[in-house]
Amino acid sequence: MKDGKYIAKAKGFHGPITVEALIENNQIQKIVAKDIAHNTVGELAVKRTLDKMNSAKSVDVDAVTGATFSSSAALKAAKKAVAVAEDELTETEALDAEIEPKSQVKVSVYAKPLSRRIYQDDVDFEDEYDVIIAGSGISGLSAAVEAARNGAKTVVFEKAGMIGGTSNYSQGIIQAAGTKWQKKYTTYQNDSPAKHLAEYLQTGEGHVNRNLLADFIQDAANSIDWLSELGLKWKNVYGHKVIPYEDKQNFAPRIHVYENGGVNGAGVIMMTKIWKAAKEAGVKIIYDTPVVGLITENKTNNHVVGVAVDHLGKKMNFRAKKGVVLATASIDHNEELAKQIDPWQYRDIQKHTLLNSKYDTGDGIVLGMIQGAGLAGVSGAMDADFKFAAGFADIIKTFPMFYVNGLGNRYVNEDTTYGYLTRANYQQETNLDKPTWMIFGKNSIGQGAMPYHSEEDMKKDMAG
């Protein structure tokens, strides 16, 4: 390679990404990237990709999973920059984002949970920690922060190549009752966790665990305070749309939104704050390393004493002195399990775009089942119509429209919350094996969250 600074571009999710590679003494000294959209999942992925390349002083590394498109773009640009230094590309070709590098980008493939039990007498432990956490979404990383702050030697094993999981892709909105922000931004001054619990118990229609839900709701306001201490700035509180059978005395606006939040992908802002706190607390995070097994004492004692992991084919075992936290998300992309226990999710896997991380395959659930644990709370899915924002929030006006099923019959109150609407859609489509339809007139164009501002906009969409 010739010494010098070489610049190249590749197509990223939010636009072209520019990478500059510094070559000295026939070796990569530093790779930096520009034009990265701030507060995005791609920003996290690109930073991790740069760390991997700079650490290895090579572009022969795998793309960072969790946001593969963005990390692949940074990696492709870096490969093109190095190709210029090796006289394999011209400077002009390197700056053309449409031109691909000659060497392909590789993506890691991860091991699945083991189907057998593991006992401590049958393994050698690589190392030990007080607390071992599987998964670095908001649940896992928050648990890691608090464990480390309380003096526990803590490690997080993350299956993908970056922190966050599906939490990154969320809007970052959180429900809580009785917070100072709820009092500041709404007229509801006497809301309480008790009312919040009553609402959830009613709308959960008997499918929720009261004790778990009570703990979750009771601590929600503390979670809002905790995130505020980490640097999130809450800017608004709003409510959900109507649920037809709900006792209105239990309703209150409880959905808290932080600065730059409230849109898909804004969860990365929250996760970055928690990640910073984790690093400051001394949490160790090991990427590309799924937990594939729980290690128990023996055949008659299911007490978990450690975990088995797989780091890109290398199998290792770690002892957990105080406990293991499984925070590996649900069966969002596990087609086999969804088919068995969640028909709605199974249909979504087959037919719809999923906003979950594709590495959410319910590994923790599988590991628990292998140990004989029972399942709770696995039912249904949460769909949303992001095109029309139907039923998204009480602050978003529902434009004039109505739904009909495959027989042409109206079947739901359209001015209700999106979870209620999408469940009604699912039931009609499943029962009739026909699609449902939204019908509206010309006067709806430009109203509320209607995405069309003219008939021409609508016709272009229909034609596409």
Side-chain angles (χ1 to χ4, degrees):
M1 291 186 290
K2 297 182 297 185
D3 287 359
K5 285 185 179 180
Y6 300 93
I7 301 174
K9 292 185 178 182
K11 290 196 297 184
F13 188 81
H14 295 281
I17 290 177
T18 303
V19 164
E20 182 181 280
L22 174 63
I23 311 293
E24 290 180 354
N25 300 321
N26 198 37
Q27 189 177 51
I28 295 172
Q29 296 300 318
K30 191 172 184 180
I31 298 175
V32 297
K34 303 175 182 177
D35 307 324
I36 308 171
H38 188 46
N39 286 335
T40 63
V41 181
E43 182 180 36
L44 277 183
V46 171
K47 286 181 178 178
R48 275 283 296 138
T49 305
L50 295 174
D51 287 344
K52 288 180 71 171
M53 291 189 291
N54 285 319
S55 177
K57 293 190 179 297
S58 170
V59 294
D60 189 22
V61 299
D62 289 356
V64 172
T65 55
T68 308
F69 192 93
S70 296
S71 65
S72 295
L75 192 50
K76 287 177 181 179
K79 285 176 175 285
K80 289 167 66 175
V82 170
V84 176
E86 295 175 337
D87 289 327
E88 293 181 354
L89 276 182
T90 66
E91 292 182 359
T92 301
E93 289 172 329
L95 292 173
D96 186 345
E98 298 293 331
I99 293 179
E100 295 279 309
K102 293 183 179 179
S103 61
Q104 292 186 339
V105 171
K106 297 178 294 181
V107 180
S108 302
V109 177
Y110 300 118
K112 296 180 179 180
L114 300 173
S115 59
R116 58 181 174 83
R117 296 191 179 191
I118 310 170
Y119 308 112
Q120 64 176 342
D121 289 344
D122 297 328
V123 302
D124 294 320
F125 289 105
E126 187 91 9
D127 200 352
E128 68 176 23
Y129 296 88
D130 293 319
V131 178
I132 294 175
I133 298 170
S136 70
I138 188 170
S139 297
L141 213 53
S142 297
V145 170
E146 286 304 295
R149 284 180 171 180
N150 283 278
K153 181 183 178 185
T154 306
V155 65
V156 176
F157 291 111
E158 167 55 47
K159 179 199 257 187
M162 56 184 283
I163 62 107
T166 293
S167 299
N168 286 333
Y169 296 95
S170 73
Q171 295 190 2
I173 53 180
I174 299 175
Q175 288 206 37
T179 70
K180 64 182 181 182
W181 289 279
Q182 186 186 39
K183 290 180 173 63
K184 177 180 179 180
Y185 293 120
T186 80
T187 60
Y188 288 72
Q189 302 300 298
N190 298 307
D191 191 23
S192 67
K195 289 184 177 181
H196 197 182
L197 176 61
E199 181 186 51
Y200 268 0
L201 288 174
Q202 184 181 21
T203 57
E205 299 175 353
H207 297 291
V208 295
N209 182 306
R210 183 189 181 98
N211 292 333
L212 290 177
L213 194 58
D215 285 346
F216 166 70
I217 288 172
Q218 192 65 43
D219 209 38
N222 293 334
S223 297
I224 295 290
D225 288 336
W226 186 77
L227 289 167
S228 178
E229 291 169 5
L230 297 188
L232 286 182
K233 297 179 181 179
W234 303 100
K235 68 170 187 177
N236 191 20
V237 178
Y238 63 88
H240 60 71
K241 281 281 191 180
V242 172
I243 299 173
Y245 54 80
E246 178 184 12
D247 184 344
K248 303 303 184 290
Q249 293 184 46
N250 295 321
F251 169 84
R254 300 183 178 112
I255 303 170
H256 291 60
V257 189
Y258 50 72
E259 198 172 73
N260 298 315
V263 295
N264 289 339
V268 74
I269 300 170
M270 172 177 62
M271 292 310 304
T272 301
K273 300 289 187 186
I274 303 173
W275 183 30
K276 180 175 182 288
K279 289 189 288 186
E280 291 172 350
V283 174
K284 184 176 183 180
I285 303 176
I286 302 177
Y287 300 100
D288 300 307
T289 309
V291 171
V292 295
L294 298 176
I295 302 170
T296 57
E297 288 196 4
N298 52 53
K299 292 182 180 179
T300 58
N301 188 336
N302 262 1
H303 176 66
V304 176
V305 297
V307 301
V309 304
D310 186 299
H311 179 70
L312 302 178
K314 182 180 180 182
K315 296 173 175 57
M316 296 176 284
N317 306 299
F318 294 87
R319 184 186 296 278
K321 294 166 66 177
K322 296 185 177 180
V324 173
V325 177
L326 297 177
T328 58
S330 191
I331 58 172
D332 307 304
H333 283 270
N334 189 322
E335 188 168 339
E336 181 181 349
L337 264 184
K339 188 173 184 179
Q340 294 178 35
I341 61 180
D342 194 342
W344 190 343
Q345 184 65 29
Y346 179 65
R347 183 197 71 156
D348 279 359
I349 292 173
Q350 294 184 312
K351 295 185 177 182
H352 292 168
T353 298
L354 302 184
L355 296 183
N356 321 82
S357 166
K358 72 175 184 178
Y359 301 101
D360 289 355
T361 50
D363 292 4
I365 293 173
V366 173
L367 294 173
M369 291 171 65
I370 290 170
Q371 299 302 323
L375 291 176
V378 182
S379 62
M382 181 63 79
D383 285 343
D385 182 350
F386 287 102
K387 181 74 174 181
F388 295 94
F392 268 27
D394 61 359
I395 57 176
I396 299 177
K397 180 183 176 183
T398 300
F399 55 88
M401 59 88 173
F402 60 92
Y403 287 110
V404 297
N405 62 20
L407 300 179
N409 298 320
R410 183 174 177 234
Y411 54 88
V412 70
N413 174 0
E414 290 81 7
D415 199 27
T416 54
T417 192
Y418 68 96
Y420 188 87
L421 286 176
T422 55
R423 184 176 66 168
N425 295 345
Y426 169 72
Q427 290 169 338
Q428 293 294 321
E429 291 173 3
T430 303
N431 292 341
L432 298 175
D433 194 26
K434 296 177 184 291
T436 55
W437 301 89
M438 176 190 289
I439 299 176
F440 54 85
K442 291 181 181 179
N443 66 326
S444 293
I445 295 176
Q447 292 196 48
M450 164 63 74
Y452 306 126
H453 300 288
S454 67
E455 283 191 62
E456 288 69 28
D457 288 344
M458 183 180 65
K459 289 176 181 178
K460 287 178 184 177
D461 203 11
M462 293 174 68

